[in-house]
Amino acid sequence: MRFPKLGVRTRILAIALAPSVALVVVGLGAAGTLVDRSHRARGWADEMQAGIAPTRALIEAVQTERRLTLWRLAGLDTDVRQLTAARQRLDDALRVLAPTQESLTRMGPESMGQATDAIGAVATRLADIRSGVDAGSLALPEVYAFYNRIPQSVMAGVEIAEKSAPDAATTVELAQAADVLRSLEAMSRAYALGAALLDGNTLPPELGTEYLSLVGFYRTHIDAIVTAPDEQQATAAKALVATPAWARLGVIEPVLAQRTLPAADTTAKHPTAQQLPIAIADWQRSAEEVARGLADLWQAENTEAQHLAGAAASDTTRTSLWAGAGMVAVALVAIAVAVALADRVIGRLKRLRDRTFALADEQLPETMRRLAAGAGLDAELEQPTLDFGGDEIGQVAAAFGHAHATAVAAAVTEARTREGVKSVFLNIAHRSQVVVHRQLEILDAAQAQQQDPALLDIYFRLDHLATRERRNAENLIVLAGGRPGRQWRNPVPLLELVRSAVGETADYTRVETGRLPQAFIAGLAVADLVHLLAELIDNAASFSPPQSRVEISGTSVGRGVVVKITDQGMGIAAGELERLNALLSAPPDFGVASLSGDSRLGLFVVSRLAARHDISVRLSDSDFGGIRAIVLIPSSVLEGSTPDRQKGEGEHLPRW
């Protein structure tokens, strides 16, 4: 299925509409998520609020039954009716808490369910523990540990509630409430264990240590709450600490703590123990009053935490609704602005289109016609003015103008290149004419002196000139991109190849050939390599003093064979040397203007020949101040066998 092509205006509107719609969708989604989160936070606060009273009733009930049970096991005269009422109270509290446990399990994480299940598991064993207490078959430490499990499970649930609180303020408030609950539990445990110390009895060592830790724990924590940054909590704690009941506990607890130490005579009941500073009844009333005060403080802290959670939920709902409405408004404004901008952009693009068509259909053909006629160009033809501002459309207009100017410049360059090529080939043609002219003069002299003994020398010079003329002709072929007609089928020794190259140079008498490795060049590369070396040797002789020598040496390397051509000239400047090496490594197009009549055509020919056989040629400064040309003949051009002289003609190199 093919979709219709859309215009620029439609695409601009689509570009604006797509993010706007996405913004609306994301905004509504985010608002919905926040509203849902606020609803869950509200539900969390309501469930937690509903669980405060049953939880307090459970904690007070288990603390009361634990205290009366431990007192009975310690031998105190307890009222059986009070113990029975405490047991009934705990059963009622567990029954009332059951629905709240189910709600918290559904709302909280999996660990919350584990905490509530732990309370249920303790409740199932409650009847067996009570029977054991009544029968006197359970020891005080075992009963004490059992009754501690329910408050411990409640504390685990409180910690889980802290982690699942909807906001940080609620979490902080719950943490403060948890500290109060821990202090209440520590004070209640100490109150329950203290009964065993009233009549001079001693606690088991582990419970004696437990009593000291509990007293120190709850008093230290309450003192810390007095100086807490929460003013409401600190005020309530200060009021509790200022009560006579708190003071009376502070008087009797050190005496009971002293009795936790074992007596010297294990059969005695601390005969030297300090007498109780207050009556037991006053101690009981004071402990119960402090416990109620701590429970009230804990309940107040929990209520405040639920209020904070509810307020945070309301704020989240209100903020999310405003945010969603704001995003919708922003999207509508963005669409309106996009429509206005799209109309303006389309108008500018239409004007740019018309101007570009005028350049392509009228101005550029006129420019090409004038170049073909050899006429000059004015500034408007070479660089048209497309002023459409400085924004992206203006930049596109500038790009069109630049493209037009580039096309004109390319046409101008092409014309100049054609002139340069003509000049190059004329230059080479003139050189060939000079050589031919000299050759004719020598031939005339030979004809006039046929009986002269110097005839052999004349023939030698004719041969040499003919060789040079042949190389000049081959230059034309190379510059044209062709291949010379000379070919060898069999490998040729490197030494013979170098000598042939020397013979093709003008100042061959100044060339000194040193030691060369025993290597053979493949027949297909012989002609090109002779030509390449001859050009380099000619350059070395041309740019060095007439009395100096040009030295040729070679060596075998890992990648092939290296031939070095060293002169004793004035050298080349560093920048120019770098440019020449770049030319040798990557031959440019012969049509460029830099290869006109005054260019180094020999190096261009060398570059072409080297690239044909993957030969590396590099120029560097020599030890004598001149230039050293380093020619690396790769292993792919070398062959390991000697040439077969019986395979036919054309296998021998010309004389030098």
Side-chain angles (χ1 to χ4, degrees):
M1 179 178 179
R2 298 186 62 183
F3 294 94
K5 294 184 178 179
L6 301 178
V8 175
R9 185 176 187 276
T10 305
R11 294 182 183 183
I12 293 177
L13 293 179
I15 291 173
L17 184 62
S20 299
V21 172
L23 179 64
V24 172
V25 173
V26 171
L28 295 178
T33 301
L34 293 176
V35 170
D36 180 69
R37 184 180 300 175
S38 67
H39 287 168
R40 285 190 282 109
R42 173 68 66 182
W44 182 92
D46 294 341
E47 292 295 338
M48 291 298 176
Q49 183 67 32
I52 293 176
T55 302
R56 175 174 179 174
L58 175 64
I59 292 175
E60 291 178 345
V62 73
Q63 289 176 349
T64 301
E65 182 174 343
R66 176 179 58 193
R67 172 172 54 83
L68 294 175
T69 302
L70 294 183
W71 285 8
R72 181 177 181 179
L73 293 176
L76 268 71
D77 186 13
T78 57
D79 189 349
V80 177
R81 290 175 297 177
Q82 290 183 351
L83 180 58
T84 302
R87 290 176 176 177
Q88 183 62 42
R89 181 183 177 187
L90 179 57
D91 293 338
D92 294 339
L94 288 171
R95 184 172 57 256
V96 172
L97 187 65
T100 303
Q101 287 180 273
E102 296 178 359
S103 300
L104 294 176
T105 301
R106 290 193 302 269
M107 293 191 62
E110 182 180 355
S111 52
M112 179 67 81
Q114 296 174 355
T116 56
D117 291 342
I119 297 177
V122 174
T124 57
R125 291 194 56 202
L126 193 57
D128 296 337
I129 294 297
R130 289 170 178 173
S131 299
V133 171
D134 294 338
S137 60
L138 297 178
L140 187 145
E142 183 180 357
V143 176
Y144 173 77
F146 173 80
Y147 279 101
N148 290 344
R149 293 177 186 173
I150 293 179
Q152 288 172 353
S153 299
V154 173
M155 288 303 306
V158 170
E159 294 176 358
I160 296 170
E162 290 179 28
K163 297 178 181 178
S164 61
D167 63 291
T170 304
T171 301
V172 172
E173 198 68 30
L174 286 177
Q176 296 174 353
D179 286 340
V180 176
L181 183 59
R182 294 187 186 94
S183 301
L184 170 61
E185 175 62 9
M187 182 267 166
S188 177
R189 291 185 186 183
Y191 180 34
L193 292 175
L197 303 171
L198 292 177
D199 195 25
N201 295 323
T202 59
L203 290 170
E206 65 275 12
L207 293 183
T209 303
E210 174 84 354
Y211 178 84
L212 296 176
S213 299
L214 292 171
V215 171
F217 177 85
Y218 90 83
R219 285 194 166 271
T220 301
H221 273 249
I222 297 302
D223 291 338
I225 294 174
V226 170
T227 59
D230 189 341
E231 295 182 1
Q232 183 177 359
Q233 186 186 38
T235 301
K238 289 178 183 178
L240 177 63
V241 172
T243 59
W246 180 270
R248 284 192 292 269
L249 287 182
V251 171
I252 195 173
E253 283 172 350
V255 177
L256 297 178
Q258 183 182 10
R259 294 184 179 184
T260 59
L261 302 175
D265 183 4
T266 57
T267 62
K269 294 186 178 182
H270 281 283
T272 59
Q274 182 180 356
Q275 297 298 320
L276 295 177
I278 61 175
I280 294 177
D282 292 337
W283 171 57
Q284 292 175 347
R285 285 194 300 272
S286 299
E288 292 171 2
E289 182 180 346
V290 171
R292 283 194 302 272
L294 290 175
D296 292 339
L297 180 57
W298 171 76
Q299 185 170 356
E301 289 289 341
N302 270 280
T303 302
E304 179 62 20
Q306 314 320 320
H307 288 165
L308 290 175
S314 300
D315 292 341
T316 302
T317 302
R318 186 166 48 254
T319 302
S320 61
L321 293 177
W322 278 109
M327 290 182 180
V328 172
V330 170
L332 294 177
V333 172
I335 294 174
V337 172
V339 172
L341 292 179
D343 292 337
R344 184 177 179 183
V345 169
I346 292 302
R348 296 178 63 194
L349 288 175
K350 288 180 178 179
R351 293 194 299 272
L352 176 59
R353 178 198 60 190
D354 296 339
R355 183 73 176 94
T356 304
F357 278 145
L359 285 178
D361 297 339
E362 301 173 9
Q363 193 166 336
L364 186 58
E366 175 63 18
T367 301
M368 300 302 296
R369 187 192 63 78
R370 296 185 63 176
L371 285 174
L377 300 178
D378 53 25
E380 179 62 23
L381 289 177
E382 290 190 3
Q383 186 68 44
T385 302
L386 295 175
D387 187 9
F388 282 81
D391 58 0
E392 285 76 4
I393 295 180
Q395 294 172 7
V396 172
F400 281 130
H402 182 69
H404 179 84
T406 302
V408 173
V412 173
T413 301
E414 182 181 358
R416 293 176 180 174
T417 300
R418 287 195 297 268
E419 295 299 324
V421 171
K422 291 179 182 179
S423 177
V424 167
F425 282 100
L426 286 176
N427 189 322
I428 296 177
H430 287 318
R431 291 169 58 184
S432 298
Q433 288 176 359
V434 171
V435 174
V436 171
H437 181 69
R438 292 185 61 185
Q439 183 181 21
L440 291 174
E441 290 179 349
I442 294 175
L443 287 175
D444 290 342
Q447 290 175 357
Q449 301 177 11
Q450 292 183 3
Q451 303 300 323
D452 196 310
L455 185 59
L456 292 176
D457 180 62
I458 295 174
Y459 283 136
F460 177 79
R461 287 186 290 131
L462 286 173
D463 183 80
H464 178 65
L465 290 175
T467 302
R468 291 176 57 199
E469 183 180 10
R470 180 184 59 196
R471 180 158 58 88
N472 289 336
E474 289 179 352
N475 280 345
L476 294 174
I477 298 175
V478 172
L479 293 177
R483 299 182 66 92
R486 291 187 298 164
Q487 296 293 332
W488 277 262
R489 291 175 296 174
N490 293 328
V492 174
L494 178 62
L495 179 60
E496 290 188 18
L497 188 146
V498 171
R499 288 178 178 176
S500 180
V502 172
E504 293 189 6
T505 60
D507 295 329
Y508 63 90
T509 56
R510 294 169 48 201
V511 180
E512 181 178 336
T513 303
R515 184 174 181 180
L516 295 170
Q518 293 292 330
F520 293 89
I521 310 301
L524 292 177
V526 169
D528 290 341
L529 192 54
V530 169
H531 197 151
L532 183 151
L533 294 176
E535 289 291 343
L536 293 175
I537 296 170
D538 229 0
N539 279 346
S542 299
F543 293 96
S544 61
Q547 69 277 8
S548 64
R549 304 191 65 81
V550 176
E551 298 179 355
I552 302 176
S553 61
T555 184
S556 296
V557 295
R559 294 172 53 191
V561 174
V562 170
V563 177
K564 301 177 183 177
I565 302 171
T566 307
D567 63 48
Q568 301 176 13
M570 298 300 294
I572 303 175
E576 180 66 10
L577 188 64
E578 183 177 354
R579 186 188 71 82
L580 294 178
N581 279 325
L583 183 146
L584 290 171
S585 61
D589 184 7
F590 181 66
V592 299
S594 59
L595 295 175
S596 57
D598 58 350
S599 300
R600 296 177 181 267
L601 297 179
L603 291 183
F604 179 79
V605 172
V606 169
S607 178
R608 281 287 185 88
L609 295 174
R612 185 177 296 171
H613 300 286
D614 198 22
I615 298 173
S616 172
V617 180
R618 186 174 61 86
L619 303 179
S620 64
D621 295 329
S622 70
D623 298 336
F624 308 106
I627 295 298
R628 175 181 290 116
I630 303 174
V631 181
L632 174 58
I633 305 172
S635 301
S636 59
V637 181
L638 302 179
E639 293 193 10
S641 61
T642 59
D644 186 358
R645 301 296 186 179
Q646 306 298 325
K647 286 188 178 181
E649 298 180 358
E651 303 301 318
H652 299 280
L653 291 175
R655 293 189 299 131
W656 49 87

